[in-house]
Amino acid sequence: MPASRERADAAAPGVPGATDPTATDLGATDLGATDLGATDLGATDLGATDLGATDLGATDLGATDVAFMQHALEIAAQAAEHGDVPVGALVVQGGRIVGVGRNRREVDDDPVAHAEIVALRDACRGSARWRVDGATLYVTLEPCPMCAGAIVNARVARLVYGAADPKAGAVRSLYCICDDVRLNHRVEIVAGVLADPCAEILRTFFRGARSRRAARRPRA
């Protein structure tokens, strides 16, 4: 059976969806994970010792997920500052942040530099292993097919994501890659943690991008 656990109660209203007129802000063409450099945002930058399991309440998994997602949002904001779509990701193992990623596609001219990929690479470099057994990956936006596949291949134990992506989401919106029973590894899924702020940071980014494009258009 799929090892999934949906958190419908955590999905705040206003999350982009098929009926939400802002859903086009989260389109696949706009949401290429962009600004994700592990070298810029190593685990030490985020203070693994500052965000230990004790500090985040290991006995209260919901509070822990919220705290780590808030941190992922801070990383997402850094992506926006560099002109990349604001998506942030963390890999947490044993209550410690071992991998960090933000969208770096524009900065690095790299089509696969999505936040999740960069965070997983960061974690694997630190451990000198390609697996992240027992780890939880936090990401502010539902992973795309590429990232969902990487999560499975890296043997991530839990995936916690914020906003749904109706145009490219491959965990629930379009596909169910991470807990597909046909695959050799299945991931526990927690959806909708801080969904509203995770969606709002994207809406704000795309509103700004549209305004800048409109300002550059020649007037008739």
Side-chain angles (χ1 to χ4, degrees), residues 8-206:
D9 57 313
V15 178
T19 58
D20 187 337
T22 62
T24 51
D25 292 351
L26 302 177
T29 54
D30 292 330
L31 280 178
T34 314
D35 205 354
L36 313 171
T39 53
D40 295 338
L41 288 169
T44 52
D45 297 335
L46 292 175
T49 55
D50 295 336
L51 281 172
T54 303
D55 296 338
L56 291 175
T59 58
D60 185 350
L61 195 58
T64 301
D65 288 345
V66 168
F68 278 123
M69 189 63 75
Q70 286 172 334
H71 206 58
L73 273 166
E74 294 172 7
I75 303 307
Q78 294 180 21
E81 291 171 4
H82 290 82
D84 274 295
V85 175
V87 179
L90 304 171
V91 179
V92 176
Q93 207 167 26
R96 293 174 57 85
I97 297 172
V98 296
V100 180
R102 59 184 172 90
N103 272 346
R104 295 192 62 89
R105 190 175 65 174
E106 298 296 336
V107 166
D108 292 345
D109 297 317
D110 184 351
V112 302
H114 289 207
E116 302 94 317
I117 300 294
V118 173
L120 286 169
R121 285 174 173 168
D122 191 26
C124 291
R125 273 196 296 267
S127 66
R129 298 185 72 232
W130 61 267
R131 303 171 66 112
V132 289
D133 296 305
T136 298
L137 189 145
Y138 294 87
V139 63
T140 55
L141 182 68
E142 181 182 3
C144 70
M146 175 184 71
C147 293
I151 288 165
V152 171
N153 284 324
R155 305 299 192 267
V156 172
R158 292 178 75 238
L159 167 66
V160 181
Y161 70 87
D165 186 353
K167 297 287 183 124
V171 177
R172 283 294 175 265
S173 296
L174 300 180
Y175 310 101
C176 297
I177 291 174
C178 289
D179 58 356
D180 190 321
V181 296
R182 296 168 296 180
L183 300 178
N184 65 347
H185 176 74
R186 288 172 292 284
V187 182
E188 180 186 351
I189 298 163
V190 181
V193 174
L194 296 184
D196 204 27
C198 288
E200 183 57 32
I201 192 173
L202 291 161
R203 283 192 287 260
T204 300
F205 177 83
F206 289 122

